[in-house]
Amino acid sequence: MSKNQELYDGIMKGNRNKVIEIVQKSVTEEVNVEEILNDSMIPAMREMGDRFSRNEVYVPEMLIAARAMQAGLSLIEPALTKSGHKSLGKVCIGTVKGDLHDIGKNLVAIMLKGAGYEVDDLGVNCDVEKFRASVDRGSKVILCSALLTTTMPYMKDVVSSIKGSAAKVVIGGAPVTQDYANQIGADGYGSDANDAVKMVDSLLGVKA
Ligand code: B12
């Protein structure tokens, strides 16, 4: 499937109603929602970031684009998670302290639920205590998201605080790399939501 230009533009312009209309239609017509997500919605958010870097758009425009994206995501969530009946285990996910970006984190959570995991979603701005409390509630894997180079180093604090417990830490987010994961001693890294699921499967010994 190729890019749905109307949907792409809807997100870029932050036209929430348009996004809802197009996504709802796709869901009703049982169009492959993963394709509209990967071919139109995510590229629109990426382009917003590039324009922000070039000072062509500012925070308010990013914010309304993000709201339109979230509205679309919440409509496709049921279709993305439809296959998940079995519980493969409990994991938690949160965006690290100081960081309020949650679109990627929400997407990873949706895909994990779809794969059959019970997901303890800790939200944004999560400190070490929040992650630890979830491990105490039974989470076997901690997934940390960071979108800012200034908040990414906090992942090291999470890794250090979890060492010694049985839980594993997987990190991700736009500035995060495999090299960085190795450097801070994280158990895994994922470049996108599908990668996150594969990483959790492998850490928990689940065969996909
Ligand atoms: C939308 C957005 C915002 C929105 C966030 C709304 C929301 N509810 O999330 C708002 C407007 C609030 C915002 C604010 C800011 N933002 Co901003 N934002 C973005 C933008 C445009 C898109 C992010 C996004 O949603 N992408 C789409 C999702 C689907 O992709 P993703 O997050 O990367 O997630 C995928 C993978 O990374 C991965 N993943 C994500 N998390 C995890 C976790 C695990 C465990 C795994 C395995 C994988 C994984 O899977 C996801 C799905 O494939 C990016 C640009 C960009 N290219 O990233 C800038 C960007 C991240 N923002 C930036 C900045 C500078 C800011 C502000 C500081 C701006 C300001 N001056 O106030 C503030 C910071 C606020 C804060 N304290 O957090 C910079 C960061 C620069 C840097 N190197 O640190 C970026 C890169 C823009 C730029 N080009 O300069 N932002």
Side-chain angles (χ1 to χ4, degrees), residues 157-187:
D157 297 37
V158 179
V159 170
S160 309
S161 87
I162 294 305
K163 280 268 172 298
S165 84
K168 308 281 184 202
V169 182
V170 176
I171 64 172
V176 181
T177 59
Q178 180 67 59
D179 275 356
Y180 186 68
N182 297 343
Q183 198 183 312
I184 66 170
D187 301 288

Side-chain angles (χ1 to χ4, degrees), residues 7 27 37 41 49 112 116 128 134 160 174 179 182 199:
L7 178 56
V27 170
L37 178 66
M41 298 170 73
L112 285 165
V128 160
S134 186
S160 309
D179 275 356
N182 297 343
M199 187 46 70

Side-chain angles (χ1 to χ4, degrees), residues 42 45-46 48-49 52-53 59 62-63 66 70 98-105 107-108 143-145 147-149 170-174 190-193 196:
I42 293 179
M45 289 311 296
R46 295 245 158 90
M48 278 309 276
F52 180 79
S53 298
V59 173
M62 278 212 291
L63 200 50
Q70 297 276 25
D99 200 323
L100 304 176
H101 294 85
D102 66 355
I103 296 174
K105 185 259 310 161
L107 210 47
V108 174
L143 293 110
C144 288
S145 181
L147 265 285
L148 300 171
T149 43
V170 176
I171 64 172
S191 62
D192 61 25

Side-chain angles (χ1 to χ4, degrees), residues 31-46:
V31 168
N32 184 339
V33 288
E34 255 183 276
E35 280 183 10
I36 62 166
L37 178 66
N38 292 326
D39 295 346
S40 308
M41 298 170 73
I42 293 179
M45 289 311 296
R46 295 245 158 90

